[in-house]
Amino acid sequence: MANLDKLKKKLQGALKLSGFSIRREFCSRLVDSFLSANVDLTAHSVFEETVKSLCSTLEVQCLSGQSIEKEHIDRVLEVCLHSGYDHNETVFSVINAFDFPKLFYNPERKLYLPSHKRPTLLADADSKTCMFLDRYTKVLHRTKRTIAQTLMNEERHRLKLQTVDYLLTISEVTMERTLILGSLLQTAEGKFALEDPTGLVNLDLTHAEYRPGFYLENSLVLVTGYYEDKVLHVSTMIMPTGEDYVNSRPAFGNFNYFGGKSATPLRDSKRLKQHLVGNPDEMFVFLSDVWLDHPQTFHQLEKLFGQMEQFCPPIAFVFLGDFMSESHGSETLNELRKLFKRLTELILRYSSLVTTSQFVFVPGLGDPCTPHIAPRLALPNFVTDEMGQALPNATFASNPCRIQYCTKEIVVFRADVLAKFLQGTLYKPAKQEISKAVTRTIIGQGHLCPVSLNALNVHWDFDYCMSLYPLPDLVVIGDKSEAYKDHYKNCIVMNPGQFCTGEFGFKMYYPAKDIESAVEDCAIDEAETEPS
């Protein structure tokens, strides 16, 4: 009994040092619950890890300095003893862009916390500045951590990260092992500058060498070279490196940064991990540019559905727009409504798919009836209401959207990204390097489409919906370009290619497989055999 009282006092003191004042009866309940769950709090390492977990969970509830009540303790025990499992844990869910949690960085706590400022579609001018500053801050934090983690050799071998004002205070300098992070700006035809929150410096790119990636206006880059006569003569331009999920994760505490009903990240759930491992053959089917007005589309979908029902109904069919080859004229909505009704009738013929699989529809930016701005709303109810009533498993998502399956995180975006990259880049990679360049650019920028606002307009207050930080497991970019797949920093980036061209190709994703074999290229003709 004496040891138990001593343990309770020790826990109460440790939490108080962390800024959480908890009543004695609550500390008693915490200790009793952990001991009942066979958590050995007498071991120093276990005790420290438990205190850390308790503090993280309390921080998510923003309780530092506030009164802690019974419901807060209930939530703490639920999270700490069940590894994120709660009553809102889901095996499969689709999260719309406008429901993504908006976060802000707290420099004092060095954590991303929920923002209480409600975003709006009609944002003021300050929101545009905040949008670019937020992009810069995220990449800056990642870059600093990467340099600290990968270059812990002798001092003479270390890279240094500087800001633009470092150059503005000197007349000339050769930047040996020094990098500057900033945003590319085009100041005049063929003239570029580098800007960060501290200032702006003109660039001379005459002799610049480029590492793999697309270097676009407004994108963030790392440069080195020599500074003279108020001009930075660039010798090398580098895409910011991505960061593995495990290295980004601590900056988000125990808050569910991905979105969904759960208060904690389901990527940490042991129960969902077990479900994933226990179903190694479960897969997703991704199809892009599913033109329902194409003369062959319904015939090819009929073949696909028939084979999938016979062999292995997938977790979900994810259809990406545009859903018509041409979306012009006043009759577009009526025509699209009829086509979705016809698709509903086709799907209902396959009872196994109807009861087992999910059907997710992500509109293209050219689909009716919203402006060509990202993120965009789901298809209008006028088009989808009949399908929604007939198919309970049909989900009409925004563009982009997020999909959570067990512990896997998937981001889906439909836009012609590659054409915008090729049009605006300072450096065009060889054809065989394009998929690598797209992957490095998207992951390095931590953004789905890091082009200028002239190339793709974004709702300023909702730019965080385009963010890839921390990295998900899979990024699906529905693009009219040739299909590709690549991976970087344990994140897969793939483009299913246009369904309604050529061999009616699509991609299948197996969440339980390793990163090298998780994605398979498929075509309808190949679907005559059982998927491997």
Side-chain angles (χ1 to χ4, degrees), residues 11 15 34 39-41 45-55 80:
L11 179 62
L15 291 172
F34 281 114
V39 178
D40 185 13
L41 293 178
S45 59
V46 175
F47 181 84
E48 292 297 323
E49 187 63 31
T50 301
V51 170
K52 183 179 178 182
S53 180
L54 287 170
C55 291
C80 294

Side-chain angles (χ1 to χ4, degrees), residues 462-480:
F462 288 92
D463 185 68
Y464 68 93
C465 299
M466 310 287 284
S467 176
L468 297 173
Y469 182 59
L471 284 176
D473 297 284
L474 173 68
V475 178
V476 181
I477 305 289
D479 199 319
K480 67 181 181 182

Side-chain angles (χ1 to χ4, degrees), residues 275-343:
H275 181 91
L276 178 69
V277 174
N279 295 274
D281 296 326
E282 296 279 11
M283 44 76 175
F284 285 78
V285 175
F286 290 95
L287 310 94
S288 182
D289 276 323
V290 185
W291 298 335
L292 298 179
D293 59 341
H294 189 283
Q296 286 292 317
T297 296
F298 281 94
H299 174 63
Q300 299 296 337
L301 288 177
E302 184 177 4
K303 292 167 63 176
L304 176 63
F305 292 155
Q307 293 299 319
M308 288 296 174
E309 182 176 56
Q310 180 181 353
F311 294 118
C312 183
I315 304 161
F317 292 91
V318 183
F319 299 90
L320 284 71
D322 295 352
F323 292 108
M324 292 185 69
S325 55
E326 293 185 2
S327 298
H328 304 292
S330 58
E331 299 299 319
T332 299
L333 275 178
N334 286 324
E335 181 65 22
L336 193 56
R337 177 184 173 91
K338 293 176 183 177
L339 291 169
F340 264 84
K341 182 179 180 180
R342 183 181 172 187
L343 180 59

Side-chain angles (χ1 to χ4, degrees), residues 323-382:
F323 292 108
M324 292 185 69
S325 55
E326 293 185 2
S327 298
H328 304 292
S330 58
E331 299 299 319
T332 299
L333 275 178
N334 286 324
E335 181 65 22
L336 193 56
R337 177 184 173 91
K338 293 176 183 177
L339 291 169
F340 264 84
K341 182 179 180 180
R342 183 181 172 187
L343 180 59
T344 304
E345 294 169 352
L346 175 62
I347 294 173
L348 289 174
R349 288 163 48 186
Y350 303 93
S351 58
S352 179
L353 298 182
V354 171
T355 56
T356 305
S357 300
Q358 302 286 331
F359 297 86
V360 182
F361 296 87
V362 181
L365 296 176
D367 279 318
C369 52
T370 61
H372 202 279
I373 306 175
R376 69 147 285 166
L377 296 166
L379 291 168
N381 289 335
F382 176 79

Side-chain angles (χ1 to χ4, degrees), residues 351-475:
S351 58
S352 179
L353 298 182
V354 171
T355 56
T356 305
S357 300
Q358 302 286 331
F359 297 86
V360 182
F361 296 87
V362 181
L365 296 176
D367 279 318
C369 52
T370 61
H372 202 279
I373 306 175
R376 69 147 285 166
L377 296 166
L379 291 168
N381 289 335
F382 176 79
V383 172
T384 63
D385 57 354
E386 291 187 62
M387 177 178 280
Q389 293 171 12
L391 291 174
N393 290 344
T395 302
F396 305 99
S398 63
N399 181 20
C401 68
R402 294 174 180 172
I403 300 175
Q404 169 260 321
Y405 173 71
C406 292
T407 58
K408 295 294 183 177
E409 297 173 349
I410 303 169
V411 175
V412 182
F413 182 48
R414 172 62 186 95
D416 296 329
V417 169
L418 181 57
K420 300 180 190 303
F421 283 1
L422 290 171
Q423 184 178 14
T425 186
L426 296 175
Y427 163 76
K428 292 187 179 181
K431 185 176 181 180
Q432 64 271 21
E433 296 180 348
I434 282 180
S435 62
K436 178 181 179 181
V438 172
T439 301
R440 294 297 175 94
T441 301
I442 289 173
I443 292 180
Q445 299 293 318
H447 196 278
L448 285 169
C449 194
V451 297
S452 70
L453 295 181
N454 292 328
L456 177 67
N457 211 342
V458 177
H459 291 293
W460 300 339
D461 256 10
F462 288 92
D463 185 68
Y464 68 93
C465 299
M466 310 287 284
S467 176
L468 297 173
Y469 182 59
L471 284 176
D473 297 284
L474 173 68
V475 178

